[in-house]
Amino acid sequence: MHSTVSFLEDAAEEYSGKTALMGAGRKTTYAELRAGARRFSEALQSGGVKPGARVVLSFTRETEFVQAYWGALLASAIPVLVSAAMPPSKLEYVINDSGAAAFVGAEAAFKALPEPPSSLKTALLICGGAGGPERGFQIEIPNSGVNVHRPDGGAPESPGEREGIPGFTCIYTSGTTGRPKGVMLSATNIRYGTRMIREFLALGPEDRSLPAMPFTHCAGLLHLLALLETGGAVVTGFAPALPGSFLNAVRDLKVTVLPVVPAMMTLLLSRYGRDLPERCRSLRVMEFSSAPLAPSLVREVRGLLPQVDLFNTYGLTEAPRITYARLESEEGDEDHVGRVNPELTVFIDRSANPSDKVGEVCAQGPNVAEGGYWNGSAGGDARFSSNGFRTGDLGWLDEENRLHLAGRSDDLFKVGGENVYPEEIERVISSMKGISDARIDAVEDPLLGTRIVARVVGCSPEVTAKAVSAYCLRHLERFKVPSRIDFVEEIPRTESGKHSRSRSRVDSDPCRFGGSNGNGSA
């Protein structure tokens, strides 16, 4: 079995002078990436980083991230990936939780820490301006733009420090529902994910990809590595938060592959829909991931970009690339997230409700994080069970081994004793012409009990609350029809594009709910 380092080294040999990363006015070849990786590796080792030690990577600059990630693997360390947007308190938690021996990243992020955690021996800082760290001493690495900084001479190793197994990558989740968890992905896990991307998207040396997700996100990392493995180029330096320049990069740099979350594509369509055919003329494939896909979004993209092959994929950081679906026709696009990928098994655990076809999705196979959660993450390893990894997602399998999702287990609620899956209602509402997005929440009313509230983003004056209710009545059981429909400008989502749901309690007021027949008011 080849390690992640092996295929990166092989790619550097085969495509040495070819562009690996490209951005606004900057190109980096495969040979230059490898040279930078070796400088990082040497700096880490000279700073006392031993095999199996954790190295926290926190970057806003993608080229240095790739070199540092590669360099940490070359040093037989375990790269620990965190979002550059992570606040100092969470970053401090991750460093302490992982027992990291080194921090590699932006000088500003390091300086924002209250105190360098005791486990740290070395910090390699990318300086945002002139000068270097204010305390400790530094070693200049020629032409690398990196400073090695040992905070006040370093600190002794913690007596209880646990060493890891080289070859793993640790990705800390965003922690939107609690403290971040470190997911330990092996080289086998990563190679499986990149292989699925290469095969389904038919990647080749002439492809150029512009991932809308950061490389510290599992989907972004896998796309980066899949492109490097095939000799392609990854476009960097263009943030989805600036959609105009992002789309200009797609056009000007002749991007062929666009991995994107649905919320990002919805934003592009709302602001630049008319310009998409011209700006995306080089595009051949688009991959949606990380969040449920509204059928109205698929229809709109297909109408504007008929030459682009559309794919949807389902997975989690703990078990990436569980399914793939090629969206070849309008019929059934919204009904499933694809067939279970080769070598994987999906088990639907219906033990909580045997009479319902819906159960918790459990995944088994070479994609499931071999290392579980770092340090068990406060009992989180219980999710790795004899049935496979318990995803927390609800769904069912049809006779063709296609996975249908019904929502999150913690989103499930009951109305009149009946199970309600918010995602099912959202899919129905989003399939209505003139609606670009929808979210379902549960509202607890002391007199009427649990009621369903729909928040809808409409893009047509014909879309009214009454019309939405009537549409729902045609496609859903009556108890699933929202009692209230609110039209909003935008629906809040997490960094990866998922809904951030809420449960609230209100005083009983039938007028607020539009009566029991579901004919809600705006």
Side-chain angles (χ1 to χ4, degrees), residues 71-219:
L73 293 173
L74 279 173
S76 296
I78 297 176
V80 178
L81 312 188
V82 297
S83 168
M86 185 173 282
S89 59
K90 277 194 175 181
L91 179 57
E92 182 183 31
Y93 168 79
V94 167
I95 295 173
N96 283 320
D97 184 65
S98 65
F103 171 88
V104 187
E107 179 183 23
F110 186 81
K111 285 185 175 181
L113 294 172
E115 284 293 332
S118 60
S119 64
L120 281 183
K121 298 177 177 63
T122 301
L124 279 63
L125 305 180
I126 307 300
C127 300
E134 294 178 345
R135 59 179 183 260
F137 64 91
Q138 50 195 322
I139 303 171
E140 296 290 335
I141 303 177
N143 303 318
S144 71
V146 179
N147 295 315
V148 180
H149 167 226
R150 293 185 179 89
D152 300 322
E157 186 169 333
S158 302
E161 183 176 1
R162 165 186 162 190
E163 288 304 315
I165 302 173
F168 278 82
T169 293
C170 182
I171 301 180
Y172 267 79
T173 59
S174 59
T176 53
T177 58
R179 285 184 166 179
K181 299 185 185 72
V183 181
M184 298 290 286
L185 295 175
S186 69
T188 298
N189 301 147
I190 289 172
R191 291 304 302 276
Y192 182 86
T194 59
R195 177 159 63 89
M196 290 300 100
I197 293 173
R198 293 191 338 263
E199 291 180 359
F200 276 95
L201 306 189
L203 298 182
E206 302 308 313
D207 276 315
R208 294 180 179 181
S209 177
L210 175 51
M213 302 79 74
F215 297 152
T216 53
H217 188 286
C218 183

Side-chain angles (χ1 to χ4, degrees), residues 169 171-175 177 179-186 189-190 192 217-219 222 314-322 344 361-374 377 380-381 383-384 388-393 408 498:
T169 293
I171 301 180
Y172 267 79
T173 59
S174 59
T177 58
R179 285 184 166 179
K181 299 185 185 72
V183 181
M184 298 290 286
L185 295 175
S186 69
N189 301 147
I190 289 172
Y192 182 86
H217 188 286
C218 183
L222 292 179
Y314 163 72
L316 302 89
T317 303
E318 297 91 338
R321 294 303 185 273
I322 295 174
L344 305 184
V361 178
C362 303
Q364 296 175 325
N367 67 327
V368 175
E370 287 192 64
Y373 292 118
W374 175 257
S377 287
D381 271 339
R383 294 180 66 184
F384 294 87
F389 176 70
R390 306 183 69 89
T391 65
D393 289 323
R408 294 285 300 171
K498 296 182 175 67

Side-chain angles (χ1 to χ4, degrees), residues 75 202 289:
S289 65

Side-chain angles (χ1 to χ4, degrees), residues 29 214 455:
T29 66
R455 290 173 172 83

Side-chain angles (χ1 to χ4, degrees), residues 444-447 505-510 512-513:
E444 299 301 327
D445 184 281
L447 294 182
R505 189 174 181 86
V506 298
D507 293 331
S508 180
D509 180 358
R512 296 183 62 182
F513 292 95

